[in-house]
Amino acid sequence: MILFKTVRPLQNKLEKLRSNKQKIGFVPTMGALHAGHVSLVTEAKKHCDMVVCSIFVNPTQFNDEKDFEKYPVTIENDIFLLETNKTGILFLPSVNEIYPEGTEQLQHFELGYLENIFEGKYRPGHFQGVCNVVHRLLNIINPDILFLGRKDYQQYLVVKKMLQDFHPSTGIMAVDTAREANGLAMSSRNMRLSEDARIKATAIYQSLQYIKQHIAEGDIEWLKEKAKEKIWQGGFDKIDYVEICDAETLLPVSTIKTGKKIIVLAAAFIEDVRLIDNILL
Ligand code: PAF
C-alpha cells in the first residue's frame, strides 16, 4: 500500500494509473476502521483496478464538538487492516490539505428536503459538512466509482444527489451493512460502548427486524410504536426516530404498496453514544 499525505504526489500517481487505463475506486472513511470498511474495500476491488481509501476525520460534519473530540482514532490499526486487505493507496491528509482556506467558509449544496429530515434534523449542518469533504476529496481523486456503506443510507442518497450535480461521471455504489454475529451494525462508534451496551444495542436491529416480520399486518404507526418499545426495553436512553420510508425518496409511508422498495430506519442513544441502523424490506 502506498501512503500519501499531500494532494500533488497522490494526483501524479493517479494520473499515471489513469493513463494506463486503470479504473479507480474510492472508499472515503473517517478511520477507526472495522469489518464494514473492509467490506467496502473488498467490493471496490471487485469493480476497480486500484482502490484509494482516505482516512480523514472531517471537522465540518460534526454538529456536536464533543462528538468530534470523542471520535475514535486508531490509525496504526487502520493501516494494518488496509494493508492486510491489500488496499492500493491510502490518502491521509491534514485538515489544512483538505481545507486550505480554513473550515469557516463552506460551499453550500442544494440538497432539498433530504438535508433536514432524520439525520439532518438531529444533526444540523451535518450533510453540508459531508458534501463539502466528499466534493473536495472527489476533486482530488476523481475516481470512477465511489463506495459508501448502506448503514448511512441518508448519506448515500445525499452524496448521490451531490454527485449528479457536481461529479456526473463518477459512479456510486452502496455496500451492504456489515453486522456483528448478534446483528449489531458495525460502526466506529461501537468502540465507545461497554461490553454490556454492545449486547443491549442489538435492540435496534431487533426492532427493525420486528417491523420487517410484521409489515404485512399493515398498521405502520402501531409497528413503529412496537419497534420503539423494543428499543426502550433494550436499555436505550433516547430515541431520535424509527421510520418506515420509501427507499428512493426517504419520505415516510403510511401504507405499504407492492412494487415500492421500503426502508426502515432508526436512531437512538445508549451510554451517550448515538447509533443508527436501517434495513431494506
Ligand atoms: O461515512 C463516513 O465515514 C463519512 O461521513 C465520510 C463519507 C467519510 C465523509 O467524511
Side-chain angles (χ1 to χ4, degrees):
M1 183 170 75
I2 317 175
L3 167 64
F4 293 94
K5 291 191 171 184
T6 52
V7 171
R8 260 280 123 228
L10 169 64
Q11 285 183 325
N12 291 341
K13 173 73 184 170
L14 292 173
E15 263 160 40
K16 279 194 201 122
L17 292 170
R18 242 176 252 114
S19 63
N20 286 332
K21 304 262 176 292
Q22 300 251 309
K23 198 166 170 184
I24 294 160
F26 176 42
V27 178
T29 81
M30 297 208 298
L33 303 184
H34 49 67
H37 297 107
V38 172
S39 71
L40 290 173
V41 170
T42 306
E43 195 60 27
K45 282 201 298 194
K46 283 189 208 156
H47 297 271
C48 302
D49 306 301
M50 173 57 79
V51 177
V52 181
C53 177
S54 65
I55 296 181
F56 179 67
V57 186
N58 174 35
T60 68
Q61 71 186 73
F62 288 85
N63 54 308
D64 176 354
E65 208 168 306
K66 275 196 245 130
D67 199 24
F68 176 52
E69 282 159 15
K70 282 193 220 151
Y71 203 84
V73 176
T74 59
I75 194 66
E76 278 171 26
N77 187 58
D78 294 351
I79 292 176
F80 175 75
L81 213 56
L82 291 174
E83 261 187 332
T84 317
N85 289 282
K86 301 200 168 31
T87 310
I89 292 177
L90 169 60
F91 183 40
L92 196 60
S94 63
V95 174
N96 194 44
E97 201 66 16
I98 298 296
Y99 296 102
E101 72 293 354
T103 53
E104 291 305 310
Q105 298 295 321
L106 296 181
Q107 181 168 343
H108 181 80
F109 293 86
E110 267 326 310
L111 302 172
Y113 67 90
L114 269 184
E115 180 172 357
N116 301 315
I117 58 173
F118 306 128
E119 290 308 288
K121 173 173 167 195
Y122 291 96
R123 305 180 67 189
H126 171 65
F127 288 124
Q128 288 297 329
V130 168
C131 284
N132 266 275
V133 75
V134 175
H135 178 52
R136 283 159 193 257
L137 288 166
L138 291 175
N139 280 341
I140 295 166
I141 295 162
N142 189 17
D144 295 281
I145 312 178
L146 170 68
F147 294 84
L148 292 177
R150 191 167 276 134
K151 185 176 82 70
D152 296 292
Y153 190 77
Q154 189 175 0
Q155 167 172 276
Y156 160 69
L157 290 184
V158 163
V159 171
K160 196 169 160 192
K161 174 158 178 33
M162 189 273 284
L163 248 57
Q164 281 159 4
D165 296 341
F166 292 91
H167 303 271
S169 60
T170 302
I172 182 165
M173 287 184 75
V175 178
D176 283 346
T177 305
R179 297 185 180 278
E180 307 279 358
N182 64 12
L184 176 66
M186 291 201 183
S187 163
S188 306
R189 289 166 192 270
N190 295 352
M191 288 179 195
R192 284 166 49 197
L193 297 175
S194 67
E195 272 310 306
D196 182 44
R198 267 184 182 235
I199 296 166
K200 287 180 172 165
T202 61
I204 290 203
Y205 179 63
Q206 282 157 8
S207 73
L208 300 179
Q209 283 295 336
Y210 183 87
I211 292 183
K212 184 175 180 174
Q213 282 151 15
H214 293 83
I215 196 82
E217 292 161 27
D219 187 336
I220 298 285
E221 288 310 313
W222 179 81
L223 275 176
K224 287 194 288 196
E225 284 316 308
K226 287 298 273 185
K228 283 183 188 166
E229 235 174 68
K230 292 201 173 297
I231 296 174
W232 288 126
Q233 281 163 3
F236 276 78
D237 313 311
K238 186 172 168 238
I239 300 175
D240 277 351
Y241 58 82
V242 172
E243 263 308 341
I244 303 176
C245 296
D246 180 310
E248 263 160 44
T249 61
L250 218 58
L251 293 173
V253 295
S254 51
T255 50
I256 301 297
K257 294 200 181 95
T258 43
K260 281 253 172 246
K261 255 207 294 176
I262 299 292
I263 187 160
V264 189
L265 312 108
F269 285 83
I270 187 162
E271 285 185 348
D272 237 11
V273 179
R274 189 171 183 280
L275 300 179
I276 60 170
D277 198 357
N278 67 73
I279 52 171
L280 280 166
L281 303 194

